[in-house]
Amino acid sequence: MAIKDRLSGNEAVATAMRQINPDVMGAFPITPSTEIPQYFSSYVANGLVDTEFVAVESEHSAMSTCIAAEAAGARAITATSSCGMALMWELLYVASSFRLPVTMALVNRALTGPININNDHSDSMGARDSGWIQIYSETNQEAYDNFIQAMPIGENKSVRLPVMVCQDGFITSHAVENMELIEDEKVQEFVGEYEPENYLLKKENPLAVGPYGISAYYMEFKKQQAEAMKQAKKVILEVAEDFEKLTGRKYGFFEEFMMEDAETAVVIIGSSAGTGKAAVDLLRQQGKKAGLIKIRVFRPFPMEELAEALAHVKAVAVMDKAESFSAAGGPLFAETRSALYDLSERPKMINYVYGLGGRDITVEDFDSIYAELSQIAESGETGEVYRHIGQREADETQKAVTYKTYQLENNNWRWQSNGL
Amino acid sequence: MKKAAEINEHTPWQELTPGAEIYEPATSKLVNTGDWRTMTPVFLKDKCKQCLLCVPFCPDSSIPVQDGKRGEFDFMHCKGCGICYKVCPFGAIQFKREEK
Amino acid sequence: MAYNFKKEMEKPERLAGGHRLCAGCGASVAVRGVLRALEPEDRAVVTNATSCLEVSTYLYPYTAYEDSYIHSAFENAAATCGGVETAYRVLKKRGKINENFKFITFGGDGGTYDIGLQSLSGAMERGHDMVYVCYDNEAYMNTGIQRSSATPRFADATTTPVGTRSYGKVQNKKNLTEIVAAHHIPYAAQTTFIGNFKDLHEKAHKAIYTEGPCFLNILSPCPRGWRYNMEDLAEICRLAVDTCVWPLYEIEEGTWKLTYEPKKKIPVEEFLKKQGRFKHMFAKGNEWMIEEAQQYVDDQWEQLLATCQK
Amino acid sequence: MEKNTVEIRWHGRGGQGAKTACLLLADVAFSSGKHVQGFPEYGPERMGAPITAYNRITDKRCTVHSNIYTPDYVIVVDETLLGSVDVTSGLKEDGAIIVNSEKEPAELRRMLGGFKGKVCSIDARRISEETIGRNMPNTPMLAAAVKISKVVEQEQFIRDMESSLRHKFAAKPQVISGNMEALKKSMEEVKVG
């Protein structure tokens, strides 16, 4: 029997961690993921887990600890956000190239410049090429479910890659929502034991990890990693299938919402997908054929599957909650558009960069986006491809989309009412 | 999985150890660093008093000790630095130009 | 246990030949010396900061270590060692392993005095049961002899080159052993290669077999960076010690103790003149450099004597 | 948005417990079988700075993850905010505002710049001091919110609170009774104008 509860996203992930009872957690506090190691420390302090919690002096050392512990034969986890993950950067590559399935709870937050603690995806999107499997969550439930699936995916012998399970800072991490928890013993059974073939503390033979790899070998190791990422696609679906058997909750590379006959669609990642779905519901009530695809797995990127899902759509808006400063669009847009290249008939596509540094996006904003898509579908004219939504403009009438002004006004009000 | 001795610059990616791990001890013994030498130490057994002072100073672990006595240099690994010849108090090690 | 030199020399090697360190390198001498202090029945996991030592002792597929080994980055060797040690504790607690392991890290002065200092401090403060060994060769040798905070004043390094307006490095060497000792760890010591390695061996043995975080700082000359004849390793070390440029001491549970006092303290220039990196100090008109170097060593030595007599 | 969605906005100052009250309301609504969201809005707020928190309470799961701009109810935990924050911004006319104040609703209405919906006042400070023994406006504000918004059935709310307090403060029975009294008193005393 599933356990009904209401937890914040951070608490949900910490609960999954408690149920898994990993060997080692190395973590350093950073908003908004700080609560995760805090909750976990209290589990340690009260004997609910017998994990060794290492309160390191930096995120760099947090990831170093996890890599070392995992190489030593232990299951290691961490949690971080934003600049914390940026400080781990070089070790992200180390973990994946060493083929060590470290599991990270990433609570997405904007990167500094200026410092900002709120949500966007610039941290994980920047790390998209670091060789980690990236799974994103819309809700607290998904953050919990994804974390429980992470280890069976990453530790699979044909994969052996680290996994980051992402959720949106504050929007889900600090928001209480209804959830269904799985019983502790069922989680443990699902996740299983970590049994690497070789590890530093193995009795039978020593292990040497982390060599200097000359050019004669380096390329081969990268090819191995690339193949492991391909294997991960298969394993992600297998694990999702097992998870569905356990919970009834279905997961794939992405969720298709009202896509069957959709003429316009939004492709999006994370919590805003829920807001987008609410907009789709309203549009459907008005008889408009709107749909939405929420990307769950960004690494490996489900290219063929996504192309197939979008093939019949007339106009697509890809929503990026991260800038990549390519002067041509965000990272999700680049990959989605590339995925569609081989289709004989391609939908018209535009890109919206939205929600940076916690800028809110509402149902009404999605309404405007779908209206814009309908126009593009009808006229066949895409207009400006690379767009931003939600920022103030000197001349609001010049915007590609009539952005609901009330939100700007209300944002102004929000700043005042939050002592900002 | 392949052993280090079987791995070389022709090994395809499918056969390399995953994550560049090596599961055996001290595989560097396979490497011939002896051919780096331009100068070579010569062990004069008769002059040696078996004080063993040369042993810990060898950067290449190339002075084997057995039953309290040092043996001939491990010329597969000795790089010919000459430290041993300098620390020997009894002139039992000569340092000569390598003849190839 | 008294130091039985012959017996120690008979122990099986834990660092194999065939590594790619330079001929005459001090780093491998340090590693051999430390690993020799392990009891044969104990196993070890060796951690390494990115360094000359690392790129030379585990060049795929050739590891020079008999024991397990991990290197992951430059500035995180202490955290990495702490991570392995943590895994050991938890796997032991959970009954997954039974063997005894010791945890030893090697970092150069770059990875220890400079970029890895935070990680070192963190690991020492957290109290992992490990030994951090700095093989100090007084510059970033792996990247080509750039100055570090361990480089002594006046040394000619590639980022403190001697020139018409430069006399080499401006700053004195950082006293890392003292900084580490300020973490109030159970054991910290300085040593180098002299005589029959008794000093190094005993310190390494204490460090390995004292519970908690321990630290060894080993002066490990680099013939290329210091520009001396590579066969002169022993002499260079002897001079460093007898000039009191590199005093040998230990701090055990807060008690400072000199482990070697030169019978006759010899002038610093004896140490300097053997090395090309100090050559400019002997040019006409630069006598003040030698005087100041001597003055600095004298001051440091006096301070150390006072600390040890307390 | 689902028709039976109730959206609530809380105004308070850092450290006063508006966030806690918001999460408590989510708790009690959850206990009564509702789908809930309770989320504070985060900036680098410190003690004393104005803060906002939100609740969405629905029968079916609400997927919207944006802030709330047109709430059904606004709850002001600190009366002094009325001067500095436009607390009725976006508040629906058929909704209500509940203010922690000893003032009469009519007097509060004059301070609210033309808001036409219900104005309620509750002297949470006095009630908490009388029942719990110190100024803890949370509990009375929560009770007033439940009474006015009817997001939870009152009797059940009282029962749920009692059991949750019993669970939380098993070792401190006096805390339980004080809080329970505060709840009841608040429900009786909240003034609607």
Side-chain angles (χ1 to χ4, degrees):
Chain A
M1 264 302 284
I3 306 153
K4 286 194 188 302
D5 206 338
R6 70 300 191 193
L7 301 173
S8 73
N10 278 343
E11 208 175 356
V13 166
T15 301
M17 291 171 169
R18 173 184 63 69
Q19 295 179 313
I20 292 165
N21 192 12
D23 296 307
V24 174
M25 181 180 203
F28 187 80
I30 180 165
T31 305
S33 62
T34 306
E35 289 179 339
I36 296 174
Q38 278 179 353
Y39 281 122
F40 199 82
S41 304
S42 77
Y43 304 149
V44 174
N46 293 297
L48 300 178
V49 291
D50 59 354
T51 307
E52 288 288 329
F53 178 80
V54 190
V56 283
E57 84 295 337
S58 72
E59 287 88 354
H60 196 279
S61 287
M63 187 45 65
S64 303
T65 300
C66 288
I67 287 169
E70 197 87 27
R75 184 179 261 157
I77 60 168
T78 189
T80 194
S81 295
S82 180
C83 310
M85 196 221 233
L87 187 57
M88 291 178 179
W89 211 264
E90 66 163 337
L91 281 320
L92 296 180
Y93 285 76
V94 171
S96 60
S97 63
F98 287 11
R99 310 291 299 280
L100 295 171
V102 174
T103 310
M104 178 199 294
L106 182 75
V107 182
N108 285 107
R109 163 186 154 184
L111 278 167
T112 291
I115 189 168
N116 173 288
I117 60 167
N118 296 97
N119 170 246
D120 67 35
H121 298 153
S122 13
D123 45 9
S124 56
M125 278 297 155
R128 66 189 181 273
D129 299 340
S130 64
W132 283 60
I133 291 169
Q134 290 192 341
I135 304 179
Y136 289 83
S137 319
E138 176 192 329
T139 60
N140 303 2
Q141 183 74 57
E142 290 187 9
Y144 171 81
D145 290 352
N146 286 336
F147 199 85
I148 289 169
Q149 291 175 66
M151 287 165 193
I153 295 168
E155 292 169 4
N156 184 291
K157 291 201 177 359
S158 68
V159 178
R160 283 190 60 182
L161 288 174
V163 183
M164 62 177 83
V165 173
C166 309
Q167 65 168 310
D168 285 347
F170 294 114
I171 300 173
T172 62
S173 72
H174 283 62
V176 169
E177 283 183 351
N178 298 44
M179 322 191 26
E180 280 186 15
L181 300 177
I182 310 163
E183 290 85 345
D184 291 5
E185 56 288 356
K186 284 189 184 161
V187 171
Q188 273 161 20
E189 196 187 325
F190 184 82
V191 173
E193 291 279 312
Y194 178 46
E195 281 163 349
E197 277 176 50
N198 287 288
Y199 49 101
L200 297 170
L201 301 172
K202 193 178 171 188
K203 186 180 178 181
E204 293 77 14
N205 56 276
L207 172 67
V209 175
Y212 183 66
I214 59 170
S215 312
Y217 295 110
Y218 186 87
M219 183 89 190
E220 280 68 22
F221 290 123
K222 292 300 131 182
K223 172 68 178 165
Q224 282 186 345
Q225 266 180 270
E227 282 300 315
M229 202 46 109
K230 285 194 207 164
Q231 282 299 313
K233 281 187 75 174
K234 198 169 127 258
V235 175
I236 286 166
L237 294 182
E238 286 167 6
V239 171
E241 211 171 293
D242 291 343
F243 191 80
E244 191 186 351
K245 280 181 204 142
L246 179 69
T247 62
R249 292 191 288 276
K250 198 173 170 62
Y251 288 98
F253 296 129
F254 47 81
E255 179 192 340
E256 295 179 67
F257 186 76
M258 303 284 180
M259 282 301 294
E260 211 162 289
D261 61 343
E263 291 173 355
T264 57
V266 157
V267 178
I268 195 165
I269 292 176
S271 64
S272 314
T275 312
K277 286 179 199 168
V280 170
D281 277 336
L282 291 172
L283 291 166
R284 287 279 171 174
Q285 283 167 27
Q286 298 161 24
K288 291 178 184 154
K289 290 183 173 170
L292 180 144
I293 288 183
K294 177 190 75 193
I295 303 288
R296 172 177 177 248
V297 180
F298 186 71
R299 282 290 178 271
F301 192 71
M303 261 219 183
E304 299 83 11
E305 296 83 355
L306 191 57
E308 199 187 321
L310 288 169
H312 64 281
V313 179
K314 290 179 180 158
V316 177
V318 181
M319 308 283 291
D320 269 294
K321 212 171 192 177
E323 246 306 343
S324 70
F325 303 111
S326 68
L332 179 60
F333 179 61
E335 306 226 356
T336 306
R337 190 154 68 161
S338 157
L340 270 52
Y341 185 81
D342 290 332
L343 293 176
S344 49
E345 272 185 62
R346 293 185 285 266
K348 297 281 172 194
M349 290 188 85
I350 51 169
N351 178 213
Y352 280 106
V353 174
Y354 77 103
L356 303 184
R359 183 60 51 93
D360 203 6
I361 187 156
T362 63
V363 175
E364 290 76 9
D365 300 330
F366 279 99
D367 273 348
S368 317
I369 290 165
Y370 281 105
E372 184 71 12
L373 286 176
S374 294
Q375 259 177 37
I376 293 172
E378 236 166 76
S379 66
E381 298 293 322
T382 308
E384 177 71 60
V385 169
Y386 169 44
R387 310 171 181 202
H388 292 77
I389 186 170
Q391 73 285 2
R392 290 181 294 278
E393 294 278 354
D395 182 355
E396 293 283 333
T397 61
Q398 289 299 301
K399 281 189 176 174
V401 167
T402 346
Y403 191 66
K404 296 286 177 191
T405 50
Y406 90 83
Q407 197 211 323
L408 287 176
E409 284 161 12
N410 275 282
N411 273 327
N412 290 337
W413 158 83
R414 279 168 56 213
W415 311 152
Q416 290 160 13
S417 66
N418 285 291
L420 299 176
Chain B
M1 198 55 63
K2 275 211 182 330
K3 293 272 182 193
E6 303 157 344
I7 295 171
N8 58 46
E9 294 166 19
H10 306 288
T11 312
W13 66 265
Q14 289 91 342
E15 293 168 24
L16 289 184
T17 53
E21 293 171 338
I22 287 296
Y23 323 121
E24 306 151 68
T27 51
S28 69
K29 285 177 188 164
L30 296 162
V31 179
N32 179 4
T33 49
D35 65 4
W36 294 18
R37 278 194 312 278
T38 55
M39 295 286 284
T40 198
V42 180
F43 178 41
L44 307 174
K45 203 174 171 187
D46 296 345
K47 286 195 176 178
C48 178
K49 311 262 189 223
Q50 294 298 345
C51 72
L52 304 186
L53 281 179
C54 56
V55 176
F57 272 104
C58 175
D60 293 304
S61 312
S62 294
I63 306 176
V65 180
Q66 214 171 10
D67 302 326
K69 290 195 168 108
R70 64 152 291 177
E72 181 52 275
F73 288 103
D74 165 8
F75 282 116
M76 182 169 166
H77 299 122
C78 165
K79 297 178 188 130
C81 65
I83 294 172
C84 56
Y85 126 83
K86 276 282 188 142
V87 296
C88 178
F90 305 107
I93 301 170
Q94 284 180 336
F95 200 40
K96 286 184 165 171
R97 188 153 297 281
E98 174 95 0
E99 283 167 32
K100 299 219 175 181
Chain C
M1 204 166 33
Y3 178 56
N4 184 332
F5 175 62
K6 284 217 160 178
K7 219 172 148 204
E8 291 302 330
M9 293 307 118
E10 272 179 20
K11 276 186 182 171
E13 281 292 336
R14 290 195 180 226
L15 183 81
H19 59 71
R20 320 288 181 103
L21 284 159
C22 294
C25 176
S28 51
V29 178
V31 174
R32 284 185 68 213
V34 171
L35 296 182
R36 196 181 295 119
L38 279 161
E39 299 296 348
E41 65 273 19
D42 287 332
R43 303 178 59 183
V45 177
V46 174
T47 313
N48 206 176
T50 308
S51 55
C52 284
L53 180 69
E54 180 266 320
V55 300
S56 306
T57 55
Y58 185 19
L59 187 104
Y60 187 82
Y62 307 115
T63 170
Y65 300 89
E66 293 284 347
D67 294 285
S68 277
Y69 171 90
I70 179 169
H71 151 261
S72 85
F74 190 5
E75 66 281 50
N76 67 346
T80 302
C81 193
V84 178
E85 185 263 355
T86 304
Y88 171 70
R89 271 187 285 124
V90 69
L91 294 180
K92 241 189 169 176
K93 177 171 77 182
R94 291 180 166 186
K96 290 188 175 173
I97 50 170
N98 299 310
E99 296 70 35
N100 282 331
F101 278 88
K102 296 290 170 186
F103 304 97
I104 304 171
T105 311
F106 294 99
D109 47 297
T112 311
Y113 282 69
D114 291 342
I115 199 169
L117 185 63
Q118 172 183 310
S119 163
L120 171 63
S121 175
M124 296 290 111
E125 186 269 337
R126 288 191 298 275
H128 296 286
D129 188 7
M130 60 179 268
V131 184
Y132 192 105
V133 181
C134 175
Y135 75 93
D136 179 2
N137 54 24
E138 301 196 322
Y140 305 154
M141 301 313 183
N142 197 28
T143 44
I145 322 164
Q146 293 82 24
R147 63 88 86 182
S148 76
S149 63
T151 305
R153 189 168 177 223
F154 301 116
D156 182 23
T158 56
T159 49
T160 55
V162 172
T164 52
R165 297 181 183 194
S166 158
Y167 52 80
K169 195 189 172 205
V170 177
Q171 304 83 1
N172 280 307
K173 184 182 173 101
K174 183 196 275 182
N175 191 330
L176 181 67
T177 310
E178 212 172 288
I179 292 169
V180 176
H183 289 72
H184 298 174
I185 55 174
Y187 187 76
Q190 268 193 194
T191 184
T192 187
F193 322 128
I194 51 163
N196 67 359
F197 278 58
K198 181 170 187 283
D199 191 79
L200 189 151
H201 183 90
E202 288 180 345
K203 285 172 179 170
H205 194 273
K206 257 188 214 175
I208 295 169
Y209 290 96
T210 298
E211 205 182 321
C214 297
F215 177 78
L216 289 180
N217 203 354
I218 306 181
L219 188 73
S220 309
C222 167
R224 187 164 171 266
W226 295 15
R227 283 179 266 151
Y228 65 87
N229 294 328
M230 60 184 169
E231 61 263 35
D232 292 336
L233 175 71
E235 192 186 351
I236 292 281
C237 291
R238 169 60 67 187
L239 287 169
V241 169
D242 280 343
T243 54
C244 299
V245 162
W246 188 256
L248 306 187
Y249 62 94
E250 63 185 7
I251 304 116
E252 201 171 355
E253 297 295 350
T255 305
W256 291 61
K257 189 180 141 200
L258 274 183
T259 57
Y260 174 83
E261 205 164 348
K263 286 186 191 77
K264 186 174 172 285
K265 183 163 167 276
I266 59 177
V268 170
E269 62 174 290
E270 297 300 317
F271 173 70
L272 303 175
K273 75 180 180 195
K274 298 279 291 184
Q275 302 172 51
R277 60 177 173 158
F278 299 120
K279 193 174 159 209
H280 57 289
M281 297 173 79
F282 294 89
K284 220 175 155 56
N286 286 351
E287 293 78 6
W288 64 275
M289 295 183 192
I290 295 172
E291 281 163 30
E292 288 195 14
Q294 183 67 56
Q295 190 60 52
Y296 180 71
V297 168
D298 291 348
D299 291 349
Q300 293 293 305
W301 176 245
E302 289 305 319
Q303 271 184 38
L304 180 64
L305 285 179
T307 311
C308 291
Q309 278 157 11
K310 256 185 232 164
Chain D
M1 201 87 42
E2 287 289 319
K3 278 212 181 66
N4 45 13
T5 298
V6 177
E7 293 185 313
I8 299 171
R9 189 169 73 214
W10 296 76
H11 291 282
R13 292 189 185 277
Q16 284 175 340
K19 176 192 156 188
T20 311
C22 161
L23 296 181
L24 272 173
L25 182 62
D27 257 17
V28 297
F30 167 81
S31 304
S32 73
K34 299 274 188 182
H35 280 266
V36 297
Q37 288 182 358
F39 54 104
E41 183 154 12
Y42 276 85
E45 300 96 0
R46 294 293 182 260
M47 225 43 141
I51 63 137
T52 315
Y54 305 94
N55 286 118
R56 246 184 218 109
I57 296 166
T58 51
D59 291 335
K60 283 202 291 186
R61 187 171 90 80
C62 177
T63 63
V64 176
H65 270 130
S66 66
N67 285 313
I68 291 168
Y69 298 97
T70 54
D72 299 286
Y73 300 95
V74 166
I75 302 161
V76 183
V77 182
D78 188 321
E79 186 187 349
T80 62
L81 289 167
L82 295 189
S84 56
V85 174
D86 182 8
V87 291
T88 55
S89 172
L91 176 58
K92 288 180 186 147
E93 297 279 280
D94 56 354
I97 180 167
I98 308 163
V99 185
N100 172 11
S101 171
E102 51 185 24
K103 294 190 177 73
E104 289 299 315
E107 198 180 336
L108 287 171
R109 183 180 296 281
R110 281 195 291 279
M111 300 164 72
L112 289 172
F115 174 64
K116 293 194 181 60
K118 263 189 241 170
V119 176
C120 313
S121 81
I122 177 76
D123 194 352
R125 178 198 180 91
R126 180 181 49 76
I127 293 173
S128 64
E129 281 171 352
E130 284 172 8
T131 54
I132 303 166
R134 55 199 175 101
N135 183 12
M136 300 262 293
N138 266 340
T139 311
M141 290 311 288
L142 176 66
V146 166
K147 165 122 187 218
I148 301 296
S149 68
K150 302 186 178 66
V151 288
V152 184
E153 200 267 316
Q154 279 187 40
E155 296 302 311
Q156 192 189 343
F157 165 66
I158 300 278
R159 280 198 303 275
D160 285 347
M161 282 302 287
E162 187 152 18
S163 87
S164 120
L165 288 168
R166 270 191 205 295
H167 183 70
K168 239 186 238 168
F169 300 104
K172 298 181 191 166
Q174 73 284 5
V175 177
I176 304 167
S177 60
N179 273 283
M180 290 311 294
E181 206 187 321
L183 288 176
K184 288 174 191 158
K185 210 163 181 173
S186 175
M187 286 183 152
E188 284 159 19
E189 289 189 17
V190 60
K191 292 174 198 158
V192 183

